[in-house]
Each structure stands twice: as C-alpha cells, then as structure tokens.
Amino acid sequence: MPTSRLVQWGAIGAVIAGVAWAVSDVLALLFPGQEEGPLGSTSFYLIESADAIATAGMLAALVGLYVVQARSLGWLGMPGFAVTFIGTTLVLLSQLLVLIFLDRSGGTLLQLSFGLGALGWLVGFVLFGIATYRARVLPRWAGLLLVAYPLIIIAALPLEGPLILFGLLWLALGYAMWTRRDMPAEQAPRVT
C-alpha cells in the first residue's frame, strides 16, 4: 500500500477515534451517575463500544503517524511507536474482553492486558511524542499532544472523564496527518 494511503487511513482512524471518544463522553453525560451503567445495560454497551471503536481508530492513527514521519523519527521513533501500538492493542483487547464476557472485574487476562496496555500508553506515548516533536515532519504541537496524552489520562482518572479532551486531541492529530498525506515520509518538509 502506498505511503500516502496509509497516512490517509491513519488520519481517518484519528478522526474516528476523536469522534468515538467524544461520543463516549456525551453518552456518559446522558447517563449521569451510572458511568458505564450496570453490566449488560444499554449504557454499558454504548459507552464500552464507543471506547473500543476509539481505541481501534487510535491503532490506525498510530500507523499513519509512524508512516508519515518514519525516516525522520530518530532512535526513539520505532521503540516509541512499538510500545504505544502494543499498549493500545492490549487496551483494545481488554475492552473487547469486557464487551464479550460482561465482566469488568475480569480474570487474569483482562487485568493483565489492561495493566500492560496502560503501562504501554504511559511510556510509549511519551517516547513517540518526543520523537514526533524532534522529527519536525508534523507540526511540533502534534508531538506535544502525544506527550500530553498520558498526562491527560492521569488527570482525567479522578474526574471519570473527560474523554472529550481525548476526542479533540485525536481530531487535531488527524488534521495534522491529513495535511501531510500526499507527501512520502522522505520528502515531507520539516514544519516548526
């Protein structure tokens, strides 16, 4: 698949992630006090499904982000991308396990996949964000957003949200990729 196609699909994935995170937050507001609702409830299915769709969109976005700047990422790029991608995959696995088995307390596999995925997010996004910032293929704010992502997650935990911030972050990253989609990674100009 040509480089520009992967970047285009990555930008679309980022938009899907952004919209799905926002929808998840709106649904949480529509069902106040229930968060994700009782297991098996409509609110549970809707919110968990939106979260899983957002995480799947993030996987596509991460591939696009990597491809658009692959030649400029430096030594942090590949490890940062790999840790972030694996962490996101594990978080998606845990979300799918919750949807399939209707069990948030979950077994060992659920706890392990979510725990390792969250650790992958905390470490990987920071590394990948620093590499993106230094690569200067995308606007520098894109790298800063990637670095800020785990910090937003940590800040949002006590608030039980706001996932709308995740949505805005992924929409912005989708925009950054979309504006670069026609340029192969090796020809993309550096933007400051």
Side-chain angles (χ1 to χ4, degrees), residues 29-51:
L29 292 173
L30 290 175
F31 300 103
Q34 293 186 28
E35 297 161 23
E36 293 178 349
L39 291 174
S41 69
T42 302
S43 64
F44 169 81
Y45 279 118
L46 291 174
I47 293 171
E48 281 293 331
S49 296
D51 292 349

Side-chain angles (χ1 to χ4, degrees), residues 65 68-69 72-74 76-77 124-148 173 189-192:
L65 285 168
V68 77
Q69 55 185 344
S72 303
L73 280 173
L76 274 179
F125 273 108
V126 171
L127 295 177
F128 194 48
I130 291 169
T132 297
Y133 182 83
R134 292 174 53 196
R136 293 182 169 181
V137 172
L138 296 171
R140 292 188 131 195
W141 55 260
L144 294 175
L145 287 178
L146 289 170
V147 169
L173 290 171
R190 293 181 176 255
V191 179
T192 58

Side-chain angles (χ1 to χ4, degrees), residues 97 105-114:
L97 288 171
S105 60
T108 306
L109 180 60
L110 173 63
Q111 293 172 353
L112 185 63
S113 67
F114 184 78

